[in-house]
């Protein structure tokens, strides 16, 4: 069975997915709301994330997210986060970068990006569930070229009015199919979409 490429994003109601985890995660363009997710705890989100970890057998990350993960998770393989730390430390990690000379010191790390479509096809043959976590800049490429099988969004009831969005201005038009929806505690929506081929159609209401 061919494996899946699953994009995981925490997002606000207005679609911002930049720096949910901490103030220094991504300060590009002067983004002042880093860590916006931290005060908005949800047991449903925790359960959903944990379920996804059960079948995750590889990571595909943008360079910025990889650097954050590489500096954090190898040092958190014990305690409450130990399960995730051990998992991320163990599985193969593919890093999207055009820089052939980047240092990838975290064990099991491999650079991709020379021929992304072919490299992702090879991942699907080797793995069951490859998760793309965060990596909002890199995600734009996956969305535009439909190099993914599922887009999972955890949508929080907060509006920021600025920041990098899941679908920014100029995003490629695309059709998606809702495959799962769930309302969690704290007003969080858990949504999963699959891409649908074909051009976006238009028409006139009532005709």
């Amino acid at each position: 069975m061919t494996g899946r490429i699953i994009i995981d994003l925490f997002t606000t109601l207005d679609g911002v997915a930049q720096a949910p985890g901490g103030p220094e995660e991504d300060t590009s363009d002067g983004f002042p709301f880093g860590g916006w997710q931290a005060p908005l705890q949800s047991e449903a989100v925790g359960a959903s994330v944990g379920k996804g970890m059960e079948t995750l057998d590889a990571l595909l990350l943008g360079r910025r997210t990889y650097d954050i993960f590489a500096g954090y998770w190898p040092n958190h393989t014990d305690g409450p986060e130990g399960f995730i730390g051990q998992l991320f430390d163990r599985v193969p990690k593919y890093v999207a970068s055009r820089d052939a000379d980047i240092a990838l010191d975290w064990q099991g790390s491999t650079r991709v990006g020379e021929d992304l479509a072919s490299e992702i096809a090879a991942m699907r043959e080797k793995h069951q569930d490859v998760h793309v976590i965060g990596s909002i800049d890199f995600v734009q490429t996956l969305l535009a070229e439909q190099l993914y099988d599922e887009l999972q969004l955890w949508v929080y009831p907060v509006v920021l009015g600025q920041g990098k969005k899941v679908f920014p201005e100029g995003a490629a038009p695309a059709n998606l199919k809702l495959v799962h929806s769930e309302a969690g505690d704290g007003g969080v929506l858990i949504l999963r979409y699959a891409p649908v081929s074909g051009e976006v159609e238009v028409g006139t209401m009532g005709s």
Side-chain angles (χ1 to χ4, degrees), residues 40-71:
L40 305 172
Q41 299 297 315
S42 168
E43 292 184 3
V45 170
S48 175
V49 170
K51 185 175 182 180
M53 298 297 105
E54 294 175 1
T55 55
L56 181 155
D57 59 352
L59 289 169
L60 173 59
L61 305 172
R63 176 64 188 277
R64 185 191 300 271
T65 300
Y66 171 81
D67 287 342
I68 293 171
F69 278 26

Side-chain angles (χ1 to χ4, degrees), residues 150-153 177-181 190-194:
E150 186 173 290
L151 171 63
Q152 181 160 233
L153 303 175
K177 177 176 66 175
L178 181 66
V179 296
H180 174 83
S181 64
I190 302 170
L191 306 173
R192 301 203 324 257
Y193 292 92

Side-chain angles (χ1 to χ4, degrees), residues 15-145:
V16 176
Q18 184 172 349
E24 303 303 320
E25 182 179 339
D26 182 358
T27 59
S28 57
D29 299 321
F31 185 64
F33 295 112
W36 58 263
Q37 182 195 11
L40 305 172
Q41 299 297 315
S42 168
E43 292 184 3
V45 170
S48 175
V49 170
K51 185 175 182 180
M53 298 297 105
E54 294 175 1
T55 55
L56 181 155
D57 59 352
L59 289 169
L60 173 59
L61 305 172
R63 176 64 188 277
R64 185 191 300 271
T65 300
Y66 171 81
D67 287 342
I68 293 171
F69 278 26
Y72 184 85
W73 287 114
N75 302 314
H76 291 79
T77 55
D78 298 311
E81 300 176 316
F83 167 72
I84 297 177
Q86 291 175 29
L87 176 64
F88 287 178
D89 207 36
R90 181 176 69 249
V91 301
K93 292 160 281 286
Y94 300 96
V95 187
S97 176
R98 296 185 180 89
D99 183 0
D101 298 320
I102 61 171
L104 301 177
D105 298 328
W106 195 5
Q107 65 178 1
S109 299
T110 304
R111 185 182 74 88
V112 296
E114 296 296 336
D115 184 353
L116 194 57
S118 296
E119 290 162 330
I120 286 180
M123 291 178 209
R124 287 190 172 113
E125 294 301 317
K126 293 175 62 176
H127 303 290
Q128 177 180 356
D129 282 347
V130 180
H131 281 250
V132 184
I133 301 175
S135 308
I136 186 62
D137 294 323
F138 172 55
V139 161
Q140 300 308 316
T141 298
L142 300 179
L143 294 174
E145 300 182 17

Side-chain angles (χ1 to χ4, degrees), residues 11-12 35-43 45 155-160 185-186 188:
T11 175
T12 66
W36 58 263
Q37 182 195 11
L40 305 172
Q41 299 297 315
S42 168
E43 292 184 3
V45 170
V155 183
Y156 286 78
V158 61
V159 173
L160 300 181
D185 55 313
V188 179

